Amino acid sequence: RFCFQKNLKYKNGRGVKIMLKLKFEKYHGLGNDFVIFDEKELEKNNIKNYSRLAEKVCHRRFGIGGDGILILKYVDEVPFMLYYNSDGSQAPMCGNGIRCFAYYLKNNSYVAEDKFTVKTIPGDMILDTYTDEKGTFFARVNMGKPVFNVKELINTDKDNFINEKITIDGEEIEISFIFMGTDHSMIFSDDLSKTDIEGTGKKIENFTELFPKKVNANFVEIKDRNNIKVTTWERGAGLTLACGTGATASAVLTAYLGKTDSKVNVEVPGGILVIEYPEHGKEAFMTGPSEKVAEGYYSYEGE
């Protein structure tokens, strides 16, 4: 539902309801799509429940549609990205989302420089942005250091959780876990086209016996030392066309295991991301595009 009028009042038999008009822009990064709001717009309309907003906005039949929402706020005069999945759950970071967020900042002159910092829950992210000869916006993001010591993050006594066997519904699965701005598990496959990503992904996401906060499930196929394929079942969003943090975590893992070089092309359903992991224990970098697809006003029932 879209509305280009002032906030409207209407009666539905239960009293007066207020329909708010919320200015938004929509972007995607390789098909992973997000609706972006300025927090000042939400505060002006007294919207405090961002989880409810995300559920409504992201619905692909009754809303704008998206894998999540991004909200711009400021901390110490630096842009801060809040991220909510389409089911209303909050996640600390989103790799494709931060590229879309960067393009939003540039398009609306919130930042003038091509290199700038965006704050997120896990920490500050440094972005180098540019536009190629075809006019496509790209961002190279310093994704920070992957966290291998995960004893405090999941239910395990092991310091690292790499190529461990777990059993879900009687099925044994070899799985690894890395924190790459958010929680990521990786499962290797010889052929992704023959892998039950939705069925297995749902089971892994909800295996709270091991992952108390649930988890993203990345299915990884190694093509050669410079190319891998990754399909991600995202916690709170389901099957998506791309997951930047998932692609990064997967490339970091294959490099750590010596299966790929330090720079790889990661083929996701929506396109290609380039991931660099120059040295174990150092920062990882992700490069990929973003596109703006819409802007307007969303008609939202007041809280």
Side-chain angles (χ1 to χ4, degrees):
R1 297 170 296 168
F2 299 90
C3 175
F4 291 88
Q5 304 177 44
K6 294 182 178 181
N7 294 345
L8 302 174
K9 293 183 178 181
Y10 71 94
K11 292 184 178 181
N12 64 355
R14 294 177 294 170
V16 176
K17 297 287 185 180
I18 298 177
M19 297 302 292
L20 306 172
K21 67 166 189 174
L22 305 178
K23 182 174 173 56
F24 76 91
E25 292 185 15
K26 183 175 179 179
Y27 293 72
H28 79 84
L30 298 179
N32 198 192
D33 55 344
F34 309 92
V35 180
I36 307 180
F37 297 97
D38 187 325
E39 190 174 55
K40 292 179 180 178
E41 175 82 0
L42 304 181
E43 290 176 340
K44 180 179 70 177
N45 288 284
N46 197 34
I47 295 174
K48 301 176 182 178
N49 189 339
Y50 296 159
S51 293
R52 178 178 182 267
L53 176 67
E55 287 185 271
K56 295 288 186 181
V57 169
C58 292
H59 197 290
R60 296 195 182 275
R61 294 294 183 270
F62 299 106
I64 298 170
D67 292 318
I69 66 169
L70 308 173
I71 299 173
L72 165 65
K73 62 183 298 177
Y74 277 86
V75 174
D76 298 327
E77 299 183 350
V78 178
F80 187 104
M81 184 183 82
L82 281 174
Y83 173 55
Y84 288 81
N85 291 304
S86 58
D87 71 347
S89 62
Q90 186 175 9
M93 227 290 282
C94 177
N96 288 312
I98 201 167
R99 296 199 317 278
C100 294
F101 192 75
Y103 199 12
Y104 171 80
L105 294 176
K106 293 285 289 183
N107 277 335
N108 290 279
S109 300
Y110 288 112
V111 296
E113 305 82 3
D114 290 331
K115 184 174 182 177
F116 52 90
T117 297
V118 171
K119 289 183 175 292
T120 67
I121 290 174
D124 292 356
M125 301 290 173
I126 300 172
L127 297 96
D128 280 300
T129 65
Y130 64 94
T131 302
D132 71 5
E133 64 280 359
K134 296 180 180 179
T136 302
F137 176 90
F138 281 83
R140 181 176 186 263
V141 187
N142 183 333
M143 301 291 283
K145 297 178 181 180
V147 176
F148 284 82
N149 191 331
V150 298
K151 186 185 293 185
E152 304 301 320
L153 300 176
I154 61 177
N155 294 330
T156 181
D157 293 329
K158 301 177 183 294
D159 289 330
N160 295 347
F161 204 83
I162 305 295
N163 288 346
E164 298 288 343
K165 290 182 172 59
I166 63 173
T167 301
I168 304 177
D169 292 343
E171 178 185 2
E172 187 177 78
I173 301 171
E174 188 172 87
I175 193 169
S176 300
F177 178 91
I178 295 173
F179 186 86
M180 194 68 245
T182 189
D183 306 293
H184 280 287
S185 65
M186 276 69 63
I187 306 92
F188 287 109
S189 170
D190 292 332
D191 187 347
L192 289 183
S193 67
K194 298 178 180 178
T195 301
D196 182 11
I197 292 172
E198 181 173 353
T200 306
K202 283 181 180 179
K203 291 179 181 179
I204 293 172
E205 176 195 5
N206 294 289
F207 190 52
T208 53
E209 175 183 327
L210 177 61
F211 306 114
K213 297 180 180 179
K214 299 187 178 182
V215 72
N216 298 290
N218 302 278
F219 297 84
V220 185
E221 178 184 341
I222 299 174
K223 307 297 289 184
D224 54 47
R225 293 198 62 82
N226 301 109
N227 297 275
I228 65 175
K229 293 177 67 175
V230 177
T231 301
T232 303
W233 179 267
E234 284 198 42
R235 171 181 60 185
L239 191 63
T240 55
L241 294 178
C243 177
T245 52
T248 305
S250 300
V252 164
L253 177 64
T254 59
Y256 171 76
L257 294 173
K259 296 178 181 294
T260 58
D261 294 339
S262 59
K263 183 176 181 179
V264 295
N265 300 311
V266 182
E267 180 185 344
V268 297
I272 301 290
L273 290 168
V274 178
I275 307 297
E276 301 163 73
Y277 187 50
E279 185 180 345
H280 181 58
K282 301 297 184 179
E283 291 90 352
F285 298 84
M286 171 195 64
T287 301
S290 173
E291 294 185 31
K292 180 180 177 180
V293 295
E295 66 176 76
Y297 290 86
Y298 175 65
S299 181
Y300 182 67
E301 185 178 302
E303 298 173 4

